[in-house]
Amino acid sequence: MVTQVNLRAYWRFLVVIRQFFPLIVAYTRDRRKYILFGGGRSVGTETQLERAEMLLETLLTLGPTFIKLGQLLSTRPDILPPEYVDVLSSLQDDVPPAPWDESQVVIEDELGPVDEAFDDFDRDPISGASLGQVYTAEYEGDPVAVKVRRPGIEALVEADLRVVRWSLPIVRRFIGQGRAFSLENLSDEFAKTIRQEMDYSREKRILQEIKANFADNERILIPEPIDDRSGPRVLTMEYLPGTKINDIETLDRKGIDRTELATTLQRVYLQMIVDDGVFHADPHPGNLAVTDGGKIIFYDFGMSGTVDSFIQDKIIDFYLAVANQDIDAILDTLIEMGTLSPSADRQVMGDVMELAIADARGEDIEQYRVQQIIEQVESTIYEFPLRLPRNLALILRVATVVEGVCVTLDPDFDFISVATDYLQEEGYYEETARQLIQEGGQQLQQTSRALFEVPPKLNRTLDRVENGNLSVNVRLEDENDVLDRLARRIVYGLFVAVGALSTAILYAFEGTSVLPAAVAAVLTLPPLFALYRSFRRKRGIRAKPQFTRQSMRDRRE
C-alpha cells in the first residue's frame, strides 16, 4: 500500500531531479562530451565555482532538508572538491518564518493554550530557521525564549530523506570510487543528524549537560531550560540578550577586550572536545553573543556532537604534533584517526604538511594558524580516496569556524599558542611524556627479552635449513587485479587461437561449403572482442603532481 509519505516522496523526487537537471547534464558531459559519446572534459576552478554556486541556489530552492544537507556536505571535504566546500560553508540556515497561526497549533499541542502557558507571548519571531523559529515570551515574571519546531516539517523531512536515499545511486555515477566509498553511509548519517536536530528533548539534554560542564566558568553563559514548558517540539529557555560576537564596533564601544574574548572562546571549545566529549557544533556568529560584562553567550544546541576517548587522545596528539612541527607524528595521528589512508605516499603528504605549516607561519616564524593547515588537509583529503568519520568532520568544521570568529575578534590571534597553553595547563604535555617513558621502558624490556630468545630460534631455523625441512609461504598482494586480468587475457588468447586455427582448417578442407568455417569464425569473435577490450582498459593509475607550492597557493587564492 502506497502511503502518503511515499506519494509525497515520489513527487519530491521529480522536483529534485528537475532542479538538479542542469548539473546532471554538466556532470554527464564531463564524462562524455556529447552525452552518449566523445571523450571527457577537464573542469577548471572557475567552472567548479560556478557549479558550486548553482548547487547552492538549488539547495536553497529545495528548502529545509536540502539546506541542512548542504551544511553537512560543507563539512565533508572527502566528498566534495574544495571549491564546493568553500561555497557551501556560507550556506545560512535562515528562511522566512512560518505564519503565527501554524506555530500556535504546535505550541498548543505541546503545552496547551498559549495565554495560559505563558504570562505574555510575542507573536512575531525574533529569528527563523529551516527547522524551527524562536519567539520571546514571559514566564513567571521572567523573559524567556521559546523555540518552536516549524509546522509540518516532519512529513517534509521524511519525504526528502527518501529522496536523498533514492538519489545516491545516481550521484555515485558522477564521482570517483574513493568518494563513492564515503557516500555509502551519508544517507543514514544525514537522516540521524536531522532527526536529532528536530528533537528538542534531546537538545535540552545536551544543553543541560554542557551547562553543567561549565558550571564553574564565569566567563560564559548558557541559558537555563524550563522543563515544564518544553517538549519534543517546543523548547523554552532563559532569555539572554547580548551583542553579536562579530559586531566589532559595538564591542569596542563597550570597552570589551576582544583578544580575551577570542581566547575564552577557543579554550571553551578545547574543553568541550578534548575533555568533556560533548560539544556545541554550530558556533557561527548568529549563535554567539557577548554581554556588557564581556561574557560569551551560547545559543542553539540543536547541532551538537560527541567525541569518544580514542578520538580525544588522537586530537591531543595532533595538536602537540602541530605545535612541535613533527610531520611524522602528524601523519601517524591522521592515519590512526582513520582520516589518512595507511597506503598514502608519506613523502607527498609530508611535503603537503611542511608547505602548509611554512605558508601559515607568515613573517613571524612563531605565528601560524591551524585553519590554514586544515584547508590544505581538506584539499588533500579530496584528492585521495579517504574516509572522514562524521564527528571528526564536524570537529574539523567547528575548528575552522571558531578560528574564523577568533581572527575576526583579533586579527593577530594565535590559535596554536592558546591550544598549547591549554594543553600544558591541563597536564597533557606531562601525560604524553609519561606515556613516552612507559613505551620506551616496554621497548627496552622487549629488546632485552629478544636478546635471549632470538639466538635459540635462529639456531633452530638454521638446523631446519640444513636438514631441508624449511618451507616458506608467500602471499602475493594484488590489489589492482593484475594477475586476474593477465589470466583472462591468456584464456581469451587461447580461444582466439583455437578459433582461428579451426576456421583455417575448415576453410581448407571443406571445399564444397564455407558455412562451417564461417560458423567457426563467428564463434571466435566474442573472445576476440573480449581480448581487445582487455587491452583497451586504462593501465595503472594516472596521476599528476597536486602539491607543488604554486598549486597550493593558487587554491588558497
Side-chain angles (χ1 to χ4, degrees):
M1 181 177 179
V2 179
T3 64
Q4 185 175 356
V5 174
N6 277 332
L7 286 174
R8 187 169 190 172
Y10 295 142
W11 172 250
R12 287 288 290 174
F13 184 74
L14 295 176
V15 172
V16 169
I17 292 297
R18 181 173 64 84
Q19 290 292 332
F20 276 98
F21 188 73
L23 284 172
I24 292 174
V25 172
Y27 295 142
T28 302
R29 293 192 64 199
D30 290 345
R31 304 180 68 188
R32 292 287 185 269
K33 188 174 181 179
Y34 301 104
I35 307 295
L36 298 177
F37 60 92
R41 299 189 305 179
S42 60
V43 180
T45 301
E46 185 176 348
T47 303
Q48 292 276 45
L49 288 172
E50 291 177 359
R51 292 181 180 179
E53 293 288 349
M54 188 185 305
L55 176 61
L56 177 63
E57 291 299 322
T58 301
L59 295 174
L60 288 171
T61 302
L62 289 171
T65 310
F66 288 89
I67 291 174
K68 289 295 179 184
L69 178 60
Q71 291 176 332
L72 174 63
L73 289 172
S74 71
T75 70
R76 299 301 299 264
D78 56 329
I79 294 177
L80 292 179
E83 295 83 1
Y84 284 75
V85 171
D86 290 342
V87 171
L88 292 183
S89 296
S90 65
L91 188 60
Q92 294 296 313
D93 188 13
D94 187 11
V95 297
W100 160 248
D101 56 348
E102 296 180 7
S103 297
Q104 182 179 4
V105 173
V106 176
I107 297 173
E108 293 186 347
D109 284 347
E110 291 285 323
L111 308 176
V114 175
D115 294 332
E116 294 180 12
F118 299 93
D119 302 335
D120 185 41
F121 200 101
D122 188 349
R123 268 62 173 173
D124 295 324
I126 60 175
S127 68
S130 59
L131 301 181
Q133 48 205 39
V134 180
Y135 298 86
T136 55
E138 189 174 308
Y139 175 70
E140 294 184 348
D142 296 322
V144 294
V146 184
K147 187 176 180 181
V148 183
R149 189 193 296 173
R150 185 172 285 270
I153 193 65
E154 301 97 326
L156 176 61
V157 166
E158 290 302 325
D160 283 345
L161 289 177
R162 282 176 167 81
V163 172
V164 171
R165 191 162 58 248
W166 296 343
S167 302
L168 284 180
I170 300 175
V171 176
R172 288 195 189 101
R173 294 181 60 85
F174 300 102
I175 63 176
Q177 184 178 359
R179 281 171 286 154
F181 179 68
S182 293
L183 271 176
E184 288 179 0
N185 295 322
L186 183 64
S187 176
D188 292 338
E189 170 192 324
F190 175 58
K192 179 182 178 181
T193 300
I194 198 168
R195 286 175 180 140
Q196 286 180 345
E197 195 165 346
M198 287 194 300
D199 184 0
Y200 289 173
S201 296
R202 176 186 179 275
E203 180 177 346
K204 180 166 69 72
R205 292 193 301 271
I206 295 292
L207 187 155
Q208 291 172 322
E209 182 177 353
I210 295 179
K211 184 177 177 65
N213 291 337
F214 289 91
D216 298 329
N217 193 327
E218 298 180 351
R219 294 174 293 180
I220 71 168
L221 288 176
I222 296 175
E224 181 72 38
I226 299 173
D227 292 337
D228 58 358
R229 290 296 179 270
S230 300
R233 296 186 295 169
V234 177
L235 175 59
T236 302
M237 67 199 91
E238 178 184 8
Y239 179 60
L240 298 174
T243 303
K244 202 171 181 179
I245 198 167
N246 63 346
D247 188 350
I248 304 301
E249 294 182 1
T250 304
L251 294 177
D252 288 342
R253 190 166 59 248
K254 293 182 177 181
I256 296 174
D257 187 334
R258 290 190 276 117
T259 300
E260 185 178 345
L261 275 182
T263 302
T264 298
L265 181 64
Q266 181 57 41
R267 291 176 66 90
V268 164
Y269 271 94
L270 283 169
Q271 179 181 328
M272 288 183 187
I273 295 171
V274 173
D275 289 330
D276 300 333
V278 57
F279 59 95
H280 175 269
D282 199 13
H284 68 78
N287 287 335
L288 300 171
V290 183
T291 67
D292 292 343
K295 297 181 179 180
I296 301 178
I297 308 170
F298 287 79
Y299 303 125
D300 193 356
F301 288 78
M303 186 180 293
S304 58
T306 57
V307 193
D308 60 43
S309 57
F310 173 78
I311 294 296
Q312 285 178 314
D313 291 341
K314 294 300 110 181
I315 290 173
I316 293 169
D317 292 343
F318 178 78
Y319 277 133
L320 296 178
V322 172
N324 295 327
Q325 302 180 38
D326 188 339
I327 302 300
D328 285 334
I330 292 174
L331 298 181
D332 290 341
T333 303
L334 293 175
I335 290 172
E336 291 169 1
M337 286 193 291
T339 300
L340 179 63
S341 171
S343 62
D345 190 325
R346 288 183 68 94
Q347 181 62 47
V348 172
M349 295 302 301
D351 292 342
V352 171
M353 296 309 303
E354 287 180 358
L355 288 176
I357 294 176
D359 286 345
R361 286 176 181 172
E363 295 182 359
D364 186 350
I365 195 171
E366 296 299 329
Q367 295 292 322
Y368 52 92
R369 299 193 176 99
V370 147
Q371 183 178 5
Q372 291 170 298
I373 296 174
I374 289 175
E375 287 175 357
Q376 303 297 355
V377 173
E378 285 180 347
S379 299
T380 306
I381 286 172
Y382 174 73
E383 298 294 345
F384 284 88
L386 305 179
R387 192 172 198 165
L388 195 59
R390 173 185 173 268
N391 276 342
L392 201 57
L394 204 56
I395 292 170
L396 192 70
R397 176 180 180 272
V398 167
T400 55
V401 174
V402 168
E403 207 252 346
V405 173
C406 291
V407 171
T408 300
L409 292 168
D410 177 9
D412 296 324
F413 181 73
D414 188 349
F415 184 95
I416 294 298
S417 176
V418 174
T420 302
D421 291 343
Y422 178 85
L423 294 176
Q424 287 178 334
E425 292 172 13
E426 296 298 316
Y428 288 111
Y429 269 90
E430 290 79 1
E431 180 64 26
T432 301
R434 283 196 295 270
Q435 291 178 356
L436 290 175
I437 292 173
Q438 291 176 355
E439 292 174 0
Q442 292 173 356
Q443 290 179 357
L444 180 61
Q445 184 179 9
Q446 293 172 358
T447 301
S448 300
R449 184 165 55 246
L451 290 175
F452 293 95
E453 293 178 352
V454 169
K457 292 180 179 179
L458 180 60
N459 188 52
R460 289 195 298 271
T461 301
L462 292 176
D463 288 341
R464 295 181 66 181
V465 172
E466 184 177 1
N467 296 329
N469 295 326
L470 182 67
S471 62
V472 179
N473 294 324
V474 178
R475 185 177 66 181
L476 182 62
E477 297 289 345
D478 187 24
E479 296 180 355
N480 295 321
D481 296 328
V482 174
L483 294 179
D484 182 61
R485 291 200 302 270
L486 180 61
R488 278 182 289 173
R489 288 174 183 174
I490 292 174
V491 172
Y492 294 150
L494 288 174
F495 275 116
V496 170
V498 171
L501 182 61
S502 300
T503 300
I505 292 173
L506 290 172
Y507 182 76
F509 289 96
E510 293 286 340
T512 59
S513 174
V514 297
L515 181 61
V519 171
V522 170
L523 293 176
T524 307
L525 289 178
L528 178 62
F529 180 69
L531 180 63
Y532 171 76
R533 286 193 60 188
S534 72
F535 283 99
R536 290 284 294 175
R537 292 179 180 177
K538 294 181 179 179
R539 303 172 183 174
I541 300 174
R542 297 181 182 178
K544 60 180 180 180
Q546 301 284 344
F547 306 110
T548 62
R549 182 180 295 270
Q550 183 61 43
S551 66
M552 294 175 71
R553 292 187 187 279
D554 290 342
R555 286 186 180 183
R556 190 165 60 249
E557 294 172 359

